[in-house]
């Protein structure tokens, strides 16, 4: 059974940092590109970042470029998202998924709230 | 801002067929696969269609996807009350060094 579990969300002040993690089991993690996708309250889905299976290639939305860093540890089957210089508009549920491949799997998301 | 355009809403009565469109460009739908997701309130998105027209195991054949040029469509036949949800298309976009893009989303209401 495939399991995708995000963690690390919480309340952070504007300008602060947070690191999200996504633990995966049930499929060969290292062979899949992975993405972070977010959804602000009452809004649609927004792709945030992606990383290739080896970690050699990374991609970012313009809205987070220079502030967020995606990475992965294939020995731990874990995906990360380091978020710096957080803004109120980064408030959202963040999902981890192996999107843009074959059948994909999503976690239940972790809520990030940026507020003073 | 979303690069893929969907109608904000669609509706039908039980048993009817509903179609949702997704309009993009040559750098996304025109050159890459399209994916469709269903999202029920308070839950994570669920994959309905991958690679334009493939259904994951467990997804009823009432759901079907198609693509033509820079547009794609999701059809729901035999509409049921449990189909009331938000639907999103998605694709990889080859512009700007590569990025993922989602549609604006369509709320389907079963009348």
């Amino acid at each position: 059974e495939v399991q995708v579990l995000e963690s690390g969300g919480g309340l952070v002040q504007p300008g602060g940092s947070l690191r999200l993690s996504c633990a995966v089991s049930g499929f060969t993690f290292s062979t899949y590109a992975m993405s972070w996708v977010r959804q602000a309250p009452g809004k649609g889905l927004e792709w945030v970042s992606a990383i290739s299976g080896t970690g050699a290639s990374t991609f970012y939305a313009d809205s987070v470029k220079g502030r967020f860093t995606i990475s992965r540890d294939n020995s731990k089957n874990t995906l990360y998202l380091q978020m710096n210089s957080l803004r109120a508009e980064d408030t959202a549920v963040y999902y981890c998924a192996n999107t843009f491949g074959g059948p994909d799997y999503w976690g239940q998301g972790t809520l990030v709230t940026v507020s003073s | 801002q979303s690069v893929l355009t969907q109608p904000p809403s669609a509706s039908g009565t039980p048993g009817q067929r509903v179609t949702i469109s997704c309009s993009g460009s040559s750098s996304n739908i025109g050159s890459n696969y399209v994916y469709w997701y269903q999202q029920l309130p308070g839950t994570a998105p669920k994959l309905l269609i991958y690679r334009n027209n493939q259904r994951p195991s467990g997804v009823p054949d009432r759901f079907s996807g198609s693509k033509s040029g820079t547009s794609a469509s999701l059809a729901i036949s035999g509409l049921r009350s449990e189909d009331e949800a938000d639907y999103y298309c998605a694709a990889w976009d080859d512009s700007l060094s590569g990025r993922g893009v989602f549609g604006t989303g369509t709320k389907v209401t079963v009348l």
Side-chain angles (χ1 to χ4, degrees), chain B residues 3-79:
Chain B
V3 175
L4 305 181
T5 302
Q6 300 178 231
S9 63
S11 63
T13 57
Q16 279 190 327
R17 175 184 172 94
V18 169
T19 301
I20 301 168
S21 62
C22 175
S23 178
S25 68
S26 58
S27 63
N28 42 67
I29 293 178
S31 52
N32 293 294
Y33 290 122
V34 178
Y35 301 78
W36 287 93
Y37 297 91
Q38 176 193 62
Q39 188 176 34
L40 299 170
T43 69
K46 171 190 173 184
L47 181 69
L48 290 178
I49 299 290
Y50 67 100
R51 293 180 183 171
N52 302 334
N53 54 20
Q54 302 300 302
R55 276 187 309 277
S57 60
V59 173
D61 59 6
R62 303 186 296 105
F63 295 93
S64 62
S66 63
K67 182 180 114 169
S68 179
T70 59
S71 294
S73 293
L74 174 72
I76 310 172
S77 60
L79 194 65

Side-chain angles (χ1 to χ4, degrees), chain A residues 51-80:
Chain A
I51 187 168
S52 62
T54 62
S57 299
T58 58
F59 308 87
Y60 297 94
D62 287 345
S63 57
V64 307
K65 197 172 295 183
R67 300 187 299 122
F68 290 11
T69 301
I70 191 171
S71 62
R72 65 192 298 160
D73 186 337
N74 286 343
S75 69
K76 296 182 178 179
N77 285 1
T78 303
L79 178 73
Y80 303 101

